[in-house]
Amino acid sequence: MSFNENKLKILVTGGAGFIGSALVRHIIQHTPHQVVNVDKLTYAGNLLSVASVSEDPRYAFEQVDICDADAIKRVFSVHQPDIVMHLAAESHVDRSISGPADFIQTNIVGTYTLLEQARAYWLKLRDQKKEGFRFHHISTDEVYGDLPHPDEEAGATDSLFSETTPYAPSSPYSASKAASDHLVRAWLRTYALPTLVTNCSNNYGPYHYPEKLIPLTILNALQGKDLPVYGRGQQIRDWLYVEDHVRALLLVATTGKVGETYNIGGHNEKRNLEVVKTICQILEELAPSEMNPNIDSYSCEPGNASSYVELIRHVADRAGHDRRYAIDASKIEQELGWTPKETFESGLRKTVQWVLDNQAWCQAVLAK
């Protein structure tokens, strides 16, 4: 099967979530392929995120829990996908600390269930369809633990996560994702199921769930609320614009080599405090605080803010907080020809503008 010439049917798990919905929209809007969106619709999944493509005849939706083996078996039988792109996961570190059980169930048991049903389906396929089938597992750079921090070690910025970096997860979330990565590779080694794995850095962009750092900062600032920053805000993350990420994901799923792992990063290492301050600067340009009725520009009372940046509040650090993430994306760049299109500054400006233009979506998601 030639992936570049054939119209494929791609099963996307978690297709109503942040990255999953971006992938669904990208496939429908920019390729001839079909999409089967499988999502349980937990708090983080919302069909409003795929509303722009939901009427396309190449799109289908199945509200299914990936832990439900019978339901997943039916989905494979009915839709007969060529590729599985597995994004369904519990993904918020803070939630994993306060309630790890859901992360173990979805990220580990759910991945196992999906692998087994995919394997049973794949074994029944014939000829080119069986040869072309792929199971693409989408994971995170957090499985690698953290890297040396430049404030603590000279030359630290030279160290990056590569595809061969040993796993050292720090949180229940990253540990559950590490376990799912190992399951996917075991199903390749033991059963020859044709799998691929990608590990990405921090994503940001449109339709991002509002509890995450960037959308939370934007929305809180607009509402005149505190902008919480963990500890001193010196933790470093590599930021990847979500549209760049989904381009890479589709490229890996259709042209990547079975059995390989590809790291996907944005080449944008930023300290958390720097990210928050940059958002404040962009908001001052696009929605000036002096014009925002939620910002008391004329108050002299202690604690009141006269600008967005004055809303920043340092709070107790997260338990086990990783110091630094940074991806070496040279493999996917050299082997598959992918590079990010957005700089952090251009992507962040697009993100802030999107939130300003789509506050109704944000409020609807928060209400859910």
Side-chain angles (χ1 to χ4, degrees):
M1 176 187 296
S2 171
F3 287 108
N4 295 323
E5 296 175 0
N6 285 269
K7 296 180 181 179
L8 303 170
K9 183 172 285 188
I10 302 174
L11 191 158
V12 177
T13 70
F18 170 43
I19 301 174
S21 66
L23 177 62
V24 168
R25 295 192 304 272
H26 178 80
I27 293 171
I28 295 297
Q29 293 170 351
H30 299 289
T31 80
H33 306 319
Q34 295 174 266
V35 171
V36 181
N37 178 1
V38 173
D39 200 293
K40 185 181 177 181
L41 295 183
T42 63
Y43 76 94
N46 199 305
L47 292 180
L48 290 174
S49 301
V50 291
S52 60
V53 300
S54 61
E55 299 302 318
D56 193 291
R58 293 175 296 125
Y59 171 85
F61 173 69
E62 293 276 2
Q63 185 172 353
V64 167
D65 183 346
I66 60 170
C67 296
D68 186 337
D70 290 338
I72 292 296
K73 180 179 180 180
R74 179 190 61 79
V75 168
F76 275 106
S77 177
V78 169
H79 294 285
Q80 301 283 304
D82 300 295
I83 295 175
V84 175
M85 299 183 73
H86 175 35
L87 296 96
E90 295 285 346
S91 65
H92 196 267
V93 175
D94 287 348
R95 286 177 181 261
S96 82
I97 294 171
S98 60
D102 287 343
F103 291 73
I104 303 304
Q105 185 68 17
T106 299
N107 299 356
I108 301 178
V109 177
T111 299
Y112 157 75
T113 303
L114 191 65
L115 282 166
E116 276 294 83
Q117 295 307 316
R119 181 168 73 96
Y121 164 76
W122 169 69
L123 287 172
K124 294 177 182 177
L125 295 176
R126 295 183 178 181
D127 305 326
Q128 287 186 322
K129 193 171 180 71
K130 182 174 184 179
E131 182 181 349
F133 181 79
R134 294 177 175 202
F135 185 105
H136 177 190
H137 176 63
I138 290 84
S139 190
T140 172
D141 60 357
E142 296 189 43
V143 298
Y144 299 123
D146 60 1
L147 291 165
H149 195 286
D151 291 350
E152 303 168 2
E153 184 176 324
T157 54
D158 294 333
S159 59
L160 301 170
F161 293 137
S162 74
E163 288 80 1
T164 59
T165 298
Y167 278 26
S170 304
S171 69
Y173 161 60
S174 56
S176 67
K177 288 298 291 185
S180 67
D181 292 9
H182 290 318
L183 287 174
V184 171
R185 294 191 179 100
W187 259 243
L188 168 73
R189 177 77 178 263
T190 304
Y191 304 113
L193 183 70
T195 66
L196 304 99
V197 176
T198 52
N199 298 84
C200 69
S201 56
N202 282 36
N203 277 224
Y204 68 102
Y207 299 97
H208 203 173
Y209 190 75
E211 72 182 358
K212 301 288 187 161
L213 175 64
I214 288 178
L216 176 68
T217 298
I218 299 169
L219 290 169
N220 276 13
L222 291 173
Q223 296 167 16
K225 297 180 179 179
D226 288 353
L227 308 182
V229 174
Y230 281 129
R232 296 186 301 114
Q234 298 306 299
Q235 303 87 358
I236 295 174
R237 301 293 181 261
D238 173 27
W239 291 95
L240 173 65
Y241 191 60
V242 68
E243 300 294 337
D244 282 329
H245 185 201
V246 298
R247 285 192 301 105
L249 292 181
L250 189 59
L251 187 65
V252 169
T254 56
T255 67
K257 183 179 178 182
V258 167
E260 292 294 319
T261 298
Y262 299 90
N263 280 354
I264 308 171
H267 306 301
N268 291 305
E269 286 189 59
K270 303 290 181 184
R271 297 171 190 255
N272 285 350
L273 183 59
E274 180 184 0
V275 171
V276 173
K277 287 184 175 180
T278 303
I279 291 171
C280 291
Q281 293 169 1
I282 295 173
L283 279 172
E284 291 292 359
E285 296 177 37
L286 301 180
S289 57
E290 63 183 15
M291 304 297 292
N292 186 336
N294 295 318
I295 306 295
D296 189 353
S297 302
Y298 305 101
S299 175
C300 296
E301 296 179 16
N304 284 10
S306 60
S307 66
Y308 294 122
V309 74
E310 292 180 51
L311 295 170
I312 294 174
R313 301 289 183 269
H314 292 270
V315 299
D317 207 351
R318 169 193 289 162
H321 206 168
D322 289 332
R323 297 166 297 173
R324 173 175 167 253
Y325 304 146
I327 284 280
D328 177 1
S330 59
K331 179 177 178 178
I332 190 173
E333 293 172 1
Q334 294 168 7
E335 295 187 10
L336 302 184
W338 173 88
T339 56
K341 293 181 178 179
E342 299 292 343
T343 64
F344 181 69
E345 289 71 20
S346 66
L348 190 59
R349 183 172 292 272
K350 287 182 177 181
T351 302
V352 172
Q353 186 64 63
W354 186 90
V355 173
L356 288 170
D357 295 340
N358 293 272
Q359 292 187 60
W361 178 90
C362 298
Q363 296 307 320
V365 170
L366 287 172
K368 177 186 174 184

PDB file of all heavy atoms in Angstrom, residues 19-33:
ATOM      1  N   ILE A  19      -4.760  17.722  21.517  1.00  0.00           N
ATOM      2  CA  ILE A  19      -3.932  17.329  20.375  1.00  0.00           C
ATOM      3  C   ILE A  19      -4.739  16.473  19.404  1.00  0.00           C
ATOM      4  O   ILE A  19      -4.636  16.620  18.181  1.00  0.00           O
ATOM      5  CB  ILE A  19      -2.666  16.591  20.841  1.00  0.00           C
ATOM      6  CG1 ILE A  19      -1.833  17.478  21.768  1.00  0.00           C
ATOM      7  CG2 ILE A  19      -1.823  16.156  19.639  1.00  0.00           C
ATOM      8  CD1 ILE A  19      -0.639  16.770  22.393  1.00  0.00           C
ATOM      9  N   GLY A  20      -5.569  15.587  19.951  1.00  0.00           N
ATOM     10  CA  GLY A  20      -6.370  14.723  19.088  1.00  0.00           C
ATOM     11  C   GLY A  20      -7.297  15.491  18.177  1.00  0.00           C
ATOM     12  O   GLY A  20      -7.422  15.174  16.986  1.00  0.00           O
ATOM     13  N   SER A  21      -7.964  16.517  18.695  1.00  0.00           N
ATOM     14  CA  SER A  21      -8.875  17.302  17.854  1.00  0.00           C
ATOM     15  C   SER A  21      -8.108  18.075  16.793  1.00  0.00           C
ATOM     16  O   SER A  21      -8.585  18.241  15.666  1.00  0.00           O
ATOM     17  CB  SER A  21      -9.712  18.246  18.708  1.00  0.00           C
ATOM     18  OG  SER A  21      -8.923  19.247  19.321  1.00  0.00           O
ATOM     19  N   ALA A  22      -6.908  18.561  17.145  1.00  0.00           N
ATOM     20  CA  ALA A  22      -6.079  19.245  16.144  1.00  0.00           C
ATOM     21  C   ALA A  22      -5.698  18.285  15.027  1.00  0.00           C
ATOM     22  O   ALA A  22      -5.671  18.655  13.847  1.00  0.00           O
ATOM     23  CB  ALA A  22      -4.829  19.824  16.806  1.00  0.00           C
ATOM     24  N   LEU A  23      -5.400  17.030  15.392  1.00  0.00           N
ATOM     25  CA  LEU A  23      -5.070  16.021  14.390  1.00  0.00           C
ATOM     26  C   LEU A  23      -6.275  15.718  13.507  1.00  0.00           C
ATOM     27  O   LEU A  23      -6.149  15.645  12.265  1.00  0.00           O
ATOM     28  CB  LEU A  23      -4.585  14.743  15.081  1.00  0.00           C
ATOM     29  CG  LEU A  23      -4.263  13.559  14.169  1.00  0.00           C
ATOM     30  CD1 LEU A  23      -3.128  13.899  13.212  1.00  0.00           C
ATOM     31  CD2 LEU A  23      -3.914  12.328  15.012  1.00  0.00           C
ATOM     32  N   VAL A  24      -7.440  15.554  14.115  1.00  0.00           N
ATOM     33  CA  VAL A  24      -8.661  15.276  13.346  1.00  0.00           C
ATOM     34  C   VAL A  24      -8.936  16.412  12.365  1.00  0.00           C
ATOM     35  O   VAL A  24      -9.205  16.175  11.183  1.00  0.00           O
ATOM     36  CB  VAL A  24      -9.853  15.071  14.296  1.00  0.00           C
ATOM     37  CG1 VAL A  24     -11.173  15.072  13.516  1.00  0.00           C
ATOM     38  CG2 VAL A  24      -9.702  13.765  15.066  1.00  0.00           C
ATOM     39  N   ARG A  25      -8.879  17.642  12.836  1.00  0.00           N
ATOM     40  CA  ARG A  25      -9.126  18.785  11.951  1.00  0.00           C
ATOM     41  C   ARG A  25      -8.110  18.830  10.818  1.00  0.00           C
ATOM     42  O   ARG A  25      -8.449  19.096   9.660  1.00  0.00           O
ATOM     43  CB  ARG A  25      -9.086  20.095  12.749  1.00  0.00           C
ATOM     44  CG  ARG A  25     -10.194  20.247  13.783  1.00  0.00           C
ATOM     45  CD  ARG A  25     -10.259  21.674  14.322  1.00  0.00           C
ATOM     46  NE  ARG A  25      -8.995  22.121  14.881  1.00  0.00           N
ATOM     47  CZ  ARG A  25      -8.610  21.948  16.135  1.00  0.00           C
ATOM     48  NH1 ARG A  25      -9.402  21.307  16.994  1.00  0.00           N
ATOM     49  NH2 ARG A  25      -7.428  22.404  16.562  1.00  0.00           N
ATOM     50  N   HIS A  26      -6.847  18.566  11.149  1.00  0.00           N
ATOM     51  CA  HIS A  26      -5.790  18.614  10.131  1.00  0.00           C
ATOM     52  C   HIS A  26      -6.018  17.562   9.048  1.00  0.00           C
ATOM     53  O   HIS A  26      -5.889  17.856   7.848  1.00  0.00           O
ATOM     54  CB  HIS A  26      -4.425  18.397  10.787  1.00  0.00           C
ATOM     55  CG  HIS A  26      -3.283  18.386   9.823  1.00  0.00           C
ATOM     56  ND1 HIS A  26      -2.716  19.531   9.312  1.00  0.00           N
ATOM     57  CD2 HIS A  26      -2.612  17.344   9.249  1.00  0.00           C
ATOM     58  CE1 HIS A  26      -1.749  19.212   8.476  1.00  0.00           C
ATOM     59  NE2 HIS A  26      -1.660  17.890   8.414  1.00  0.00           N
ATOM     60  N   ILE A  27      -6.350  16.351   9.444  1.00  0.00           N
ATOM     61  CA  ILE A  27      -6.561  15.286   8.467  1.00  0.00           C
ATOM     62  C   ILE A  27      -7.726  15.617   7.540  1.00  0.00           C
ATOM     63  O   ILE A  27      -7.625  15.493   6.310  1.00  0.00           O
ATOM     64  CB  ILE A  27      -6.800  13.939   9.174  1.00  0.00           C
ATOM     65  CG1 ILE A  27      -5.532  13.487   9.910  1.00  0.00           C
ATOM     66  CG2 ILE A  27      -7.230  12.866   8.170  1.00  0.00           C
ATOM     67  CD1 ILE A  27      -5.749  12.289  10.811  1.00  0.00           C
ATOM     68  N   ILE A  28      -8.843  16.044   8.099  1.00  0.00           N
ATOM     69  CA  ILE A  28     -10.019  16.334   7.283  1.00  0.00           C
ATOM     70  C   ILE A  28      -9.797  17.559   6.404  1.00  0.00           C
ATOM     71  O   ILE A  28     -10.215  17.587   5.233  1.00  0.00           O
ATOM     72  CB  ILE A  28     -11.258  16.536   8.180  1.00  0.00           C
ATOM     73  CG1 ILE A  28     -11.617  15.226   8.905  1.00  0.00           C
ATOM     74  CG2 ILE A  28     -12.453  17.038   7.360  1.00  0.00           C
ATOM     75  CD1 ILE A  28     -12.004  14.079   8.000  1.00  0.00           C
ATOM     76  N   GLN A  29      -9.134  18.567   6.916  1.00  0.00           N
ATOM     77  CA  GLN A  29      -8.985  19.826   6.182  1.00  0.00           C
ATOM     78  C   GLN A  29      -7.843  19.819   5.170  1.00  0.00           C
ATOM     79  O   GLN A  29      -7.870  20.593   4.206  1.00  0.00           O
ATOM     80  CB  GLN A  29      -8.781  20.976   7.174  1.00  0.00           C
ATOM     81  CG  GLN A  29      -9.999  21.268   8.023  1.00  0.00           C
ATOM     82  CD  GLN A  29      -9.721  22.237   9.164  1.00  0.00           C
ATOM     83  OE1 GLN A  29      -8.561  22.584   9.448  1.00  0.00           O
ATOM     84  NE2 GLN A  29     -10.772  22.676   9.849  1.00  0.00           N
ATOM     85  N   HIS A  30      -6.861  18.933   5.356  1.00  0.00           N
ATOM     86  CA  HIS A  30      -5.654  19.014   4.522  1.00  0.00           C
ATOM     87  C   HIS A  30      -5.279  17.720   3.810  1.00  0.00           C
ATOM     88  O   HIS A  30      -4.244  17.683   3.127  1.00  0.00           O
ATOM     89  CB  HIS A  30      -4.471  19.478   5.374  1.00  0.00           C
ATOM     90  CG  HIS A  30      -4.652  20.832   5.989  1.00  0.00           C
ATOM     91  ND1 HIS A  30      -4.635  21.995   5.252  1.00  0.00           N
ATOM     92  CD2 HIS A  30      -4.890  21.192   7.276  1.00  0.00           C
ATOM     93  CE1 HIS A  30      -4.835  23.031   6.064  1.00  0.00           C
ATOM     94  NE2 HIS A  30      -4.989  22.569   7.286  1.00  0.00           N
ATOM     95  N   THR A  31      -6.069  16.660   3.953  1.00  0.00           N
ATOM     96  CA  THR A  31      -5.756  15.394   3.280  1.00  0.00           C
ATOM     97  C   THR A  31      -7.045  14.795   2.726  1.00  0.00           C
ATOM     98  O   THR A  31      -8.140  15.218   3.091  1.00  0.00           O
ATOM     99  CB  THR A  31      -5.115  14.373   4.253  1.00  0.00           C
ATOM    100  OG1 THR A  31      -6.134  13.743   5.031  1.00  0.00           O
ATOM    101  CG2 THR A  31      -4.088  15.027   5.163  1.00  0.00           C
ATOM    102  N   PRO A  32      -6.930  13.760   1.893  1.00  0.00           N
ATOM    103  CA  PRO A  32      -8.129  13.072   1.404  1.00  0.00           C
ATOM    104  C   PRO A  32      -8.586  11.935   2.314  1.00  0.00           C
ATOM    105  O   PRO A  32      -9.546  11.235   2.000  1.00  0.00           O
ATOM    106  CB  PRO A  32      -7.665  12.514   0.055  1.00  0.00           C
ATOM    107  CG  PRO A  32      -6.207  12.211   0.271  1.00  0.00           C
ATOM    108  CD  PRO A  32      -5.706  13.297   1.190  1.00  0.00           C
ATOM    109  N   HIS A  33      -7.931  11.757   3.462  1.00  0.00           N
ATOM    110  CA  HIS A  33      -8.180  10.596   4.300  1.00  0.00           C
ATOM    111  C   HIS A  33      -9.488  10.710   5.088  1.00  0.00           C
ATOM    112  O   HIS A  33     -10.048  11.796   5.260  1.00  0.00           O
ATOM    113  CB  HIS A  33      -7.015  10.377   5.266  1.00  0.00           C
ATOM    114  CG  HIS A  33      -5.688  10.295   4.604  1.00  0.00           C
ATOM    115  ND1 HIS A  33      -5.484   9.619   3.415  1.00  0.00           N
ATOM    116  CD2 HIS A  33      -4.468  10.818   4.950  1.00  0.00           C
ATOM    117  CE1 HIS A  33      -4.212   9.719   3.062  1.00  0.00           C
ATOM    118  NE2 HIS A  33      -3.587  10.436   3.967  1.00  0.00           N
TER     119      HIS A  33
END
